[in-house]
Amino acid sequence: MTKPIPQPGIMDIALYQGGQSHVAGVAEVIKLSSNENPFGPSPKAIEAARESATTLHRYPSTDHASLRAAISRRHGLDAERIICGVGSDEVLQFVAQAYTGPGDEIIYTEHGFSMYPIIARMAGATPVIVPERDRQVDVDHILAAVTDKTRIVFVTNPGNPTSTMISDTELERLAGGLPGNCLMVLDGAYAEFVDGFDGGAGLVDQFPNVIMTRTFSKVYGLGGMRVGWGYAAQEIIDVLNRVRQPFNLSLTALAAAEAAVQDEEYLQFCQSENVRLRVWLSAELAKIGVLSDPSCTNFILARFVDRAEAEACDDYLKTQGLIVRRVAGYNLPNALRITVGDEGACGRVVAAITAFKGGAA
Ligand SMILES: Cc1ncc(COP(=O)(O)O)c(C=O)c1O
């Protein structure tokens, strides 16, 4: 008997593993496994989402003009060269779908975001993993892996789950070293956590094959709304809009994101609290021998003696109602990724890991 057969590569896609949010038998948990904003969205975004409820019978805008204008004012970018997606994931998917297919290669780095191989295979392309150096993206390794089949290089900066960052100079060297028919996608999901960093917008203006992606899911606390955006040369945006569904963003999502991006005061509060608590968290853990690289994000990558210790600590944290993220799947088996929570959450993480390590809780 014949049966429907999926396209080649589809069954090679490993299903995305989201951050856990429940622990069996533990009623009250603190979720520190998905790099969400512990303070939630701006009250203005909540209000805008609420107000949108009265017009839910209307289709949303197809061109996202109002949200793009707000993003453009906030970042000083040309609104015509911005595209919005259902999370930055969707923008990344547009890029792979529009520019790659069977036989093409997509490069990403050893500890790169786990959606990249999924997105590559969704387009029928082949994901190619390149080593990092001491948990940092390495430009020479990437350039050495480029072949005449390479069409996209995905770079997360700052990185997830590494939390490290490479300099503008290194990124410029990478962009300059890639062939003109190869896109460089700068995934800036965590760009807002770095004071003064433009996420790569300057490089987009300098190189016609560079794309920057950003999200409302992290510092803006709108992961549940699913809004992201990309910025690139006009020619690229015109291509990406052809594979975008006309009503990809709901009117509630559009309203919430537009209000969020305009609330600069709340943004600054989230940014400064993140820095304050991240510094404290990493310093306290370092005192008990749990080291992490200086973080440029809203999480730290805590390193343990070996995989067994990391997993035992994760198990212990769960018994304490604290859910963090194992990152063995990112080739970091001896580490745990811990989102910087609010003050209470950070205090509980330090107390629990101290107890686990055998010190005074
Ligand atoms: C590096 C990186 N890129 C992209 C995303 C996707 O974010 P979004 O919620 O905008 O789809 C994430 C989310 O965790 C991420 O960590």
Side-chain angles (χ1 to χ4, degrees):
M1 216 173 54
T2 58
K3 58 175 190 172
I5 307 285
Q7 287 291 306
I10 298 291
M11 294 313 289
D12 297 330
I13 297 175
L15 293 179
Y16 179 79
Q17 303 291 325
Q20 201 183 333
S21 51
H22 303 285
V23 183
V26 183
E28 298 242 329
V29 295
I30 298 182
K31 185 181 173 209
L32 303 169
S33 55
S34 296
N35 302 335
E36 294 152 336
N37 182 336
F39 306 107
S42 149
K44 291 179 180 160
I46 296 173
E47 189 47 38
R50 235 186 232 125
E51 277 174 19
S52 78
T54 57
T55 49
L56 288 182
H57 56 303
R58 302 285 179 208
Y59 274 92
S61 135
T62 60
D63 63 8
H64 313 144
S66 191
L67 174 59
R68 287 188 296 107
I71 293 170
S72 122
R73 283 193 300 275
R74 168 90 185 79
H75 292 275
L77 303 174
D78 178 357
E80 294 303 311
R81 292 167 54 199
I82 292 172
I83 184 169
C84 300
V86 178
S88 51
D89 278 350
E90 196 189 35
V91 181
L92 299 171
Q93 189 188 340
F94 295 154
V95 179
Q97 185 185 346
Y99 285 95
T100 70
D104 294 333
E105 293 175 355
I106 296 183
I107 289 179
Y108 70 105
T109 62
E110 187 183 357
H111 310 304
F113 182 43
S114 59
M115 275 304 290
Y116 301 151
I118 294 178
I119 283 167
R121 290 197 196 282
M122 281 162 80
T126 306
V128 175
I129 310 176
V130 167
E132 297 199 12
R133 193 186 298 272
D134 298 330
R135 299 174 298 281
Q136 284 235 338
V137 168
D138 185 89
V139 169
D140 293 314
H141 280 144
I142 295 176
L143 290 175
V146 172
T147 70
D148 59 1
K149 293 180 183 157
T150 311
R151 291 290 170 274
I152 297 177
V153 173
F154 284 124
V155 174
T156 323
N157 202 39
N160 170 26
T162 58
S163 83
T164 64
M165 194 169 172
I166 63 168
S167 67
D168 280 349
T169 321
E170 279 299 275
L171 286 176
E172 192 173 341
R173 189 162 76 80
L174 177 57
L178 292 176
N181 65 353
C182 176
L183 292 164
M184 170 164 131
V185 180
L186 289 176
D187 179 338
Y190 300 92
E192 284 87 357
F193 295 107
V194 184
D195 195 23
F197 179 48
D198 74 356
L203 284 179
V204 173
D205 291 338
Q206 210 179 325
F207 293 92
N209 56 336
V210 176
I211 304 176
M212 171 182 77
T213 58
R214 305 286 286 262
T215 184
F216 280 89
S217 303
K218 305 302 172 186
V219 80
Y220 288 106
L222 286 173
M225 278 292 168
R226 312 302 301 124
V227 187
W229 55 281
Y231 175 66
Q234 192 67 62
E235 209 176 311
I236 293 178
I237 295 297
D238 290 347
V239 170
L240 301 184
N241 267 317
R242 284 174 163 71
V243 296
R244 179 178 69 77
Q245 291 202 27
F247 303 110
N248 59 331
L249 290 179
S250 73
L251 59 82
T252 306
L254 288 166
E258 187 178 334
V261 78
Q262 295 180 92
D263 191 348
E264 201 157 337
E265 199 182 318
Y266 189 74
L267 171 69
Q268 283 170 7
F269 161 75
C270 296
Q271 288 167 323
S272 61
E273 279 299 273
N274 178 64
V275 171
R276 180 175 78 84
L277 293 165
R278 181 181 72 200
V279 167
W280 183 81
L281 176 64
S282 55
E284 291 301 306
L285 292 182
K287 283 183 198 162
I288 53 168
V290 178
L291 301 181
S292 51
D293 294 318
S295 168
C296 303
T297 60
N298 65 338
F299 57 86
I300 63 165
L301 184 71
R303 300 197 300 275
F304 293 83
V305 174
D306 53 22
R307 180 177 190 143
E309 192 192 40
E311 290 181 355
C313 183
D314 181 44
D315 289 341
Y316 179 72
L317 289 174
K318 282 203 185 79
T319 67
Q320 302 304 299
L322 296 165
I323 306 179
V324 302
R325 185 73 158 250
R326 289 189 188 193
V327 281
Y330 286 89
N331 203 18
L332 293 161
N334 65 341
L336 295 176
R337 192 190 70 188
I338 307 173
T339 303
V340 178
D342 61 15
E343 196 157 320
C346 289
R348 279 181 58 178
V349 166
V350 169
I353 298 183
T354 305
F356 168 77
K357 283 286 211 178

